[in-house]
Amino acid sequence: MRAVGRVVIKVGSAVLSGGKPGLDAAAIRRLAGAVAAARERGLEVVVVSSGAIAAGTKALGLKTRPATTQLKQAAAAVGQSRLMRAWETALSRKGLSAAQILLTREDLRDRERYLNARNTLFALLRLGVVPVINENDTVAVDEIRFGDNDVLSALVAGLVDAGLLVLLTDQDGLYDRDPRQGPAELVRVVLPGHAPVSAGGKAGPLGSGGMDSKVRAGALAAEMGIAAAIASGLKPRALEAVLSGEEEGTWFSPETRPLEKRKAWLAFVSHPKGQVHVDQGAMEALTRRGKSLLPSGVRSLSGTFEPGDAVSLVLEGREFARGLTNFASRDLERVKGLKTSEVEGALGHKPADEVVHRDNLALTGGKRP
């Protein structure tokens, strides 16, 4: 923990509501106290907070969490101001200022907007402000939403170069089976590349994630070289224990050779403009030998893209990597399957030797180059 200078704390709806409709002011005050204690120890803190829809659900007099996108957006619009006011009130009592930041996936997919968000967050942290981030549920739709704040928190951890991601939930951590279905053992450590496919524990009535999404978020953070922990947000002093490096909850050990920031953006955030279908030999060269993609390895393509756009690299219908292309789709269509030495003769010019250079390539499955 001495090496952790910045931490992202994700708080789920079940923690903020205490399992009941609306927001639990006492729970938020307790969490604000833990944030203040972390600040006093020299940690910079970013909070990713769910709860807008839960707060709006109660304010609107709805008996259950909305099921349709339109009602979720309406509840979020009503509840977001209540959520932010609760955080501002709790943090101000500890002498801290809060800043509201609402994000959609498009804000992180677009490289310029990604960097703008990063710079804004860094400026807030330098000013001693606690950023409170939530997905912009009011405008998010299926095509652009993160799906849950667990994944968002992992991406934010990478965005701000955090050393630790803490995922607070209504359970003590990850169990080897769903503890609500019978006896279960708490998993203390998840090693890199060993996150379970299914962890059990679906989202509660007030949330959208569940334990599976927290495992994905923890594994994603570890892939980026960021330690992660899943712990109870309802258990007194559990957050303080995690931030002190104590044996609390489930820890995800970070990769010792993590993806560099630009490749992490490519692999997990970028929005591919098209697909480049390659042959088996090209896939093996990219994934096993760390090579670049050459025109000779391209079999077909779909979509329309320009040089510098992100594209999916696909074998037999399954994406295995993403990269920034050096070729426009119209030119690549003409030179696919050709040797590098034949490209200039076919086009009258040669944009590059490689369709995707290894430095602009990130694997989305299997061993990284």
Side-chain angles (χ1 to χ4, degrees):
M1 289 300 299
R2 286 192 296 270
V4 174
R6 187 173 297 135
V7 59
V8 173
I9 302 172
K10 186 269 177 178
V11 189
S13 296
V15 175
L16 293 170
S17 66
K20 300 177 182 179
L23 300 174
D24 184 342
I28 297 176
R29 287 196 298 270
R30 176 169 50 81
L31 293 168
V35 170
R39 287 287 305 275
E40 290 176 0
R41 292 177 45 221
L43 290 173
E44 293 182 332
V45 179
V46 176
V47 173
V48 175
S49 176
S50 300
I53 294 178
T57 297
K58 181 179 181 180
L60 292 171
L62 303 177
K63 294 182 179 180
T64 60
R65 178 183 171 89
T68 67
T69 298
Q70 290 79 9
L71 279 179
K72 288 178 181 177
Q73 291 173 326
V78 171
Q80 181 61 38
S81 61
R82 290 166 169 79
L83 173 66
M84 197 62 211
R85 185 163 59 247
W87 276 111
E88 287 177 334
T89 299
L91 288 169
S92 66
R93 290 179 177 177
K94 299 297 180 178
L96 298 174
S97 297
Q100 174 180 258
I101 297 179
L102 300 176
L103 295 174
T104 65
R105 187 177 288 273
E106 284 301 310
D107 293 319
L108 301 186
R109 280 177 170 172
D110 181 271
R111 187 65 177 169
E112 183 175 353
R113 288 159 69 177
Y114 176 92
L115 294 174
N116 286 340
R118 176 180 166 91
N119 292 334
T120 298
L121 285 164
F122 284 160
L124 289 169
L125 292 171
R126 285 194 299 271
L127 292 169
V129 176
V130 178
V132 179
I133 300 174
N134 194 4
E135 181 173 10
N136 194 350
D137 291 309
T138 301
V139 300
V141 293
D142 290 342
E143 289 79 7
I144 62 175
R145 62 181 287 111
F146 294 98
D148 58 73
N149 274 337
D150 298 321
V151 173
L152 172 60
S153 67
L155 296 175
V156 168
L159 179 69
V160 300
D161 298 335
L164 174 66
L165 167 66
V166 182
L167 299 149
L168 295 179
T169 181
D170 56 356
Q171 297 185 36
D172 289 336
L174 169 65
Y175 287 85
D176 58 356
R177 58 183 60 86
D178 191 339
R180 293 174 291 191
Q181 303 299 320
E185 183 176 348
L186 184 66
V187 177
R188 287 296 183 184
V189 177
V190 177
L191 298 176
H194 289 78
V197 175
S198 178
K202 295 182 179 180
L206 299 175
S208 63
M211 188 56 72
D212 281 354
S213 70
K214 291 167 182 59
V215 171
R216 289 196 298 272
L220 172 54
E223 181 80 359
M224 293 186 287
I226 302 167
I230 300 174
S232 173
L234 303 177
K235 183 178 177 181
R237 299 197 61 79
L239 176 56
E240 290 89 337
V242 170
L243 296 179
S244 298
E246 299 175 21
E247 189 181 76
E248 181 70 42
T250 300
W251 286 79
F252 289 74
S253 297
E255 288 277 0
T256 56
R257 190 170 65 92
L259 283 174
E260 58 188 65
K261 292 296 183 289
R262 192 161 67 105
K263 290 197 174 187
W265 175 83
L266 268 173
F268 304 123
V269 187
S270 66
H271 181 44
K273 297 294 183 64
Q275 293 185 333
V276 177
H277 300 260
V278 306
D279 59 28
Q280 183 71 31
M283 188 275 287
E284 292 180 356
L286 295 172
T287 60
R288 297 182 182 180
R289 301 195 297 276
K291 301 295 184 179
S292 300
L293 176 62
L294 303 178
S296 59
V298 177
R299 288 293 168 261
S300 63
L301 56 142
S302 57
T304 302
F305 46 85
E306 297 294 332
D309 285 341
V311 294
S312 292
L313 304 186
V314 177
L315 177 68
E316 297 178 352
R318 297 186 63 180
E319 178 190 88
F320 65 89
R322 292 182 184 179
L324 302 180
T325 176
N326 291 321
F327 284 74
S329 53
R330 58 184 176 276
D331 291 338
L332 185 56
E333 185 67 49
R334 296 171 59 188
V335 301
K336 63 185 180 185
L338 299 183
K339 295 179 180 180
T340 302
S341 59
E342 298 173 324
V343 168
E344 187 169 2
L347 293 179
H349 68 285
K350 184 165 69 173
D353 289 336
E354 310 87 359
V355 176
V356 176
H357 191 276
R358 59 174 295 174
D359 291 343
N360 295 321
L361 173 74
L363 300 187
T364 54
K367 187 176 180 181
R368 299 193 306 272

